[in-house]
Amino acid sequence: MENSEANNSPAMKLLNSVDFTKEGLVSMVKSKDVLTDVEYEALILAYSKVGIDKDRLELDNNPVSSATSEVMKDHKAPANANEIKKKLLNNEYPQVRGYVVSSFKSIFGTSSSDCNELVKMLKEEKNDYVIKCGIKTLANEMKEPAVAEFIFSQVGNKHPAIRTQCAYAIGNSWTEGVKGAKEAVLKLMNDKDPDVQKAMYGSCGKLHDPTLVPEIVKALNDPAKVDLHSECVKSLYAMWYDYPFHKQTNKEAYDATLAYFKKTPRTDKDPAWNSVGELATQAESNYAQWRSKATYFKPEEYVAVMSDIAKDINANWLARKAAIKVIKKIGKPSDLEAVKKAIESNSNDSKKDLVIRD
């Protein structure tokens, strides 16, 4: 990292000459139209004064971003802004290195050589915050072997926030077809940390790998994993419904979704209320073409399952309400009227007004 001489640089001296507030940071800038090199570097170095949340590996609330946004409304970065950022990749403060790594795409682009340059730096990095920033920055580049190797190497990192970031990077449509992705998914699905599991189950559907469906079904059939069910169904939808793109089709994932919604007895948590209403939304420009390919999808079959959920007084009322919205979207008017009539006539239904309210 940079030696102590950095603390005596013109940019650091400028930074230390003002209060660490939004107003103070804005007051550093005296130039018009284009920032000077020193002003620009001082704004980046301001991150050195920001704390890092050790659990989330995120920066604490700070005035730097808002001050920078205000300054950049009427200023441009200096011509050699990228060179200044590259120099700061070696800064002694991880907050500064993390900022620069996070802006790496705008500096280097996404070529193989650029990715390799960042990976080379990250392999030597010891700070967890900077490593997490690197994984997030490179998440869409895992088809580059060096990037994939680096991110897979962090799947076993001791910090759960880093493993969570790995889950989001691996469960990414840009990672589809990358060798080793499924093995990493299975490991993260079984991680000891619930947030890591949630991230992996919720994002793995973007890989569009049908061999992952049985693993998702295992979780849906496990009462101990009920808190993961909405994430599981989210991934199933990504495989067979794929809103808003409507490009993917997968009968096994569709059947697994229906099986989950059919499962009884229903409870306030099962099915997860926020997993029910996906088909209430369509991307009209893509939907017709998807329907022509998704021959497994039978609207009347789906509506029948949604009707069962809507009428089930044991199900969460928000799940029931979501089911009604789906019926309204893909069913016939008579389907909707039949469900509403059944709910209204059920004297044991204490939530009927909430469920059928438009």
Side-chain angles (χ1 to χ4, degrees), residues 310-330:
K311 293 183 289 186
D312 194 332
I313 64 174
N314 294 313
N316 186 294
W317 74 270
L318 287 169
R320 298 172 63 196
K321 189 175 184 70
I324 284 182
K325 290 182 178 179
V326 174
I327 296 167
K328 186 176 181 180
K329 184 66 176 181
I330 67 172

Side-chain angles (χ1 to χ4, degrees), residues 116-148:
N116 289 338
E117 184 174 350
L118 182 53
V119 168
K120 183 178 180 180
M121 173 262 184
L122 289 168
K123 282 183 175 180
E124 301 300 320
E125 181 61 58
K126 304 300 182 185
N127 184 269
D128 288 337
Y129 169 68
V130 182
I131 291 171
K132 182 189 173 187
C133 289
I135 295 169
K136 188 173 183 179
T137 297
L138 291 169
N140 291 350
E141 309 298 334
M142 287 191 66
K143 284 186 168 59
E144 293 291 338
V147 174

Side-chain angles (χ1 to χ4, degrees), residues 337-356:
E337 290 306 313
V339 169
K340 287 186 175 182
K341 184 176 180 180
I343 293 172
E344 289 171 342
S345 64
N346 188 347
S347 60
N348 294 320
D349 192 345
S350 62
K351 303 290 185 181
K352 65 177 69 179
D353 291 339
L354 293 173
V355 172
I356 63 176

Side-chain angles (χ1 to χ4, degrees), residues 53-93:
D53 185 304
K54 301 300 182 182
D55 293 325
R56 298 183 300 114
L57 296 183
E58 298 284 351
L59 295 182
D60 295 334
N61 290 333
N62 67 85
V64 184
S65 297
S66 56
T68 301
S69 295
E70 182 166 329
V71 167
M72 298 311 294
K73 286 180 183 178
D74 50 15
H75 288 79
K76 294 181 180 180
N80 62 335
N82 288 347
E83 286 68 25
I84 294 171
K85 286 185 178 181
K86 288 181 183 181
K87 178 185 71 173
L88 293 176
L89 273 175
N90 294 315
N91 187 267
E92 64 182 293
Y93 294 101

Side-chain angles (χ1 to χ4, degrees), residues 25-68:
L25 295 172
V26 171
S27 74
M28 293 192 304
V29 177
K30 307 299 184 184
S31 61
K32 295 182 179 180
D33 300 326
V34 179
L35 294 176
T36 66
D37 291 0
V38 171
E39 290 169 341
Y40 185 74
E41 184 173 342
L43 283 171
I44 298 175
L45 288 174
Y47 283 103
S48 67
K49 297 178 178 288
V50 180
I52 299 174
D53 185 304
K54 301 300 182 182
D55 293 325
R56 298 183 300 114
L57 296 183
E58 298 284 351
L59 295 182
D60 295 334
N61 290 333
N62 67 85
V64 184
S65 297
S66 56
T68 301

Side-chain angles (χ1 to χ4, degrees), residues 279 282 299-300 302-303 324-336:
L279 268 67
Q282 300 172 2
E300 62 278 6
Y302 205 88
V303 166
I324 284 182
K325 290 182 178 179
V326 174
I327 296 167
K328 186 176 181 180
K329 184 66 176 181
I330 67 172
K332 301 187 292 291
S334 58
D335 296 324
L336 186 62

Side-chain angles (χ1 to χ4, degrees), residues 130-170:
V130 182
I131 291 171
K132 182 189 173 187
C133 289
I135 295 169
K136 188 173 183 179
T137 297
L138 291 169
N140 291 350
E141 309 298 334
M142 287 191 66
K143 284 186 168 59
E144 293 291 338
V147 174
E149 180 184 0
F150 167 67
I151 292 179
F152 288 149
S153 75
Q154 297 300 320
V155 167
N157 190 290
K158 67 182 185 302
H159 203 300
I162 290 178
R163 302 197 302 276
T164 299
Q165 199 63 58
C166 286
Y168 288 125
I170 295 165

